[in-house]
Amino acid sequence: MADVQTDIAETLLNELRPGLSPRVLAQIPPLSEMLAQAGRIACHGVGREGLMMRALAMRLFHLGCDAHVVGDMTTPPLGEGDVLLVSAGPGDFATIAALVGIARDAGAKVACLTAEPDGNVPRAADLAVHLPAQTMASDQGEAASSVLPMGSLYEALMFLFCELLVLDLAQRLDVSAEAMRANHTNLE
């Protein structure tokens, strides 16, 4: 059984490599710059993508950014100079499309992480970041390519990409690991 697990782990690492290629990582600086210039940042995604966006919002807060999660009671309104950062792995979710419209009408910029850059949500964004990975839009039939179920490969790639984004943003904002740690909650 251990050999089977090792084989699956190797396959998974090989599946993640295209999502961490130089072409994909070249998308970090423009997104990092957008976030560095933002007044407020609101993060949103649905399902497990939403969990990854919550993790990113936490790290943005640790960096000292005015970061929030859409739907939380304390999320302020967005407007001019702010950024709505969403994930739409399959390219379109009606709820995310509606939030993008609200943010844009209020004058905020929109950035979108996606596996389907031709989808409605990424096309409506000011900046679309293409993370090439299987989502629930491509997990069946001949389109299925991952050993992981449904959109797990995209969600794993989101986490890794966002951690690299945080490192870039920390350097851009000149925030040390110690300063980030100082912003971590003590209520655990």
Side-chain angles (χ1 to χ4, degrees):
M1 188 65 172
D3 289 340
V4 171
Q5 297 302 323
T6 300
D7 290 345
I8 292 172
E10 284 299 318
T11 299
L12 176 56
L13 289 172
N14 288 331
E15 289 178 5
L16 285 168
R17 280 187 179 86
L20 297 172
S21 71
R23 182 182 56 79
V24 173
L25 298 180
Q27 299 174 99
I28 289 176
L31 179 56
S32 182
E33 182 62 26
M34 178 186 267
L35 297 177
Q37 298 299 318
R40 293 177 175 152
I41 303 166
C43 298
H44 184 65
V46 297
R48 289 167 46 113
E49 291 180 36
L51 295 175
M52 297 303 104
M53 295 305 286
R54 292 179 74 82
L56 175 58
M58 177 186 273
R59 285 292 184 248
L60 293 174
F61 175 81
H62 293 156
L63 286 170
C65 298
D66 188 3
H68 305 272
V69 174
V70 173
D72 283 356
M73 298 294 286
T74 57
T75 302
L78 294 186
E80 195 73 35
D82 299 332
V83 173
L84 174 63
L85 177 55
V86 298
S87 176
D92 195 23
F93 290 110
T95 53
I96 293 178
L99 291 172
V100 166
I102 292 167
R104 290 184 65 86
D105 288 348
K109 290 189 177 184
V110 176
C112 177
L113 306 179
T114 186
E116 301 291 336
D118 293 329
N120 290 334
V121 173
R123 283 188 291 120
D126 296 287
L127 178 65
V129 174
H130 180 211
L131 302 179
Q134 176 180 295
T135 68
M136 285 190 67
S138 59
D139 74 327
Q140 297 179 333
E142 290 182 23
S145 60
S146 180
V147 296
L148 297 178
M150 297 176 272
S152 292
L153 183 64
Y154 175 75
E155 296 143 9
L157 182 56
M158 278 180 70
F159 176 76
L160 295 172
F161 181 89
C162 289
E163 288 299 298
L164 294 169
L165 171 66
V166 166
L167 292 175
D168 185 90
L169 194 53
Q171 186 174 35
R172 192 176 298 271
L173 296 173
D174 195 26
V175 177
S176 68
E178 293 78 22
M180 287 179 69
R181 180 174 273 284
N183 284 333
H184 194 283
T185 186
N186 63 355
L187 300 176
E188 290 184 328

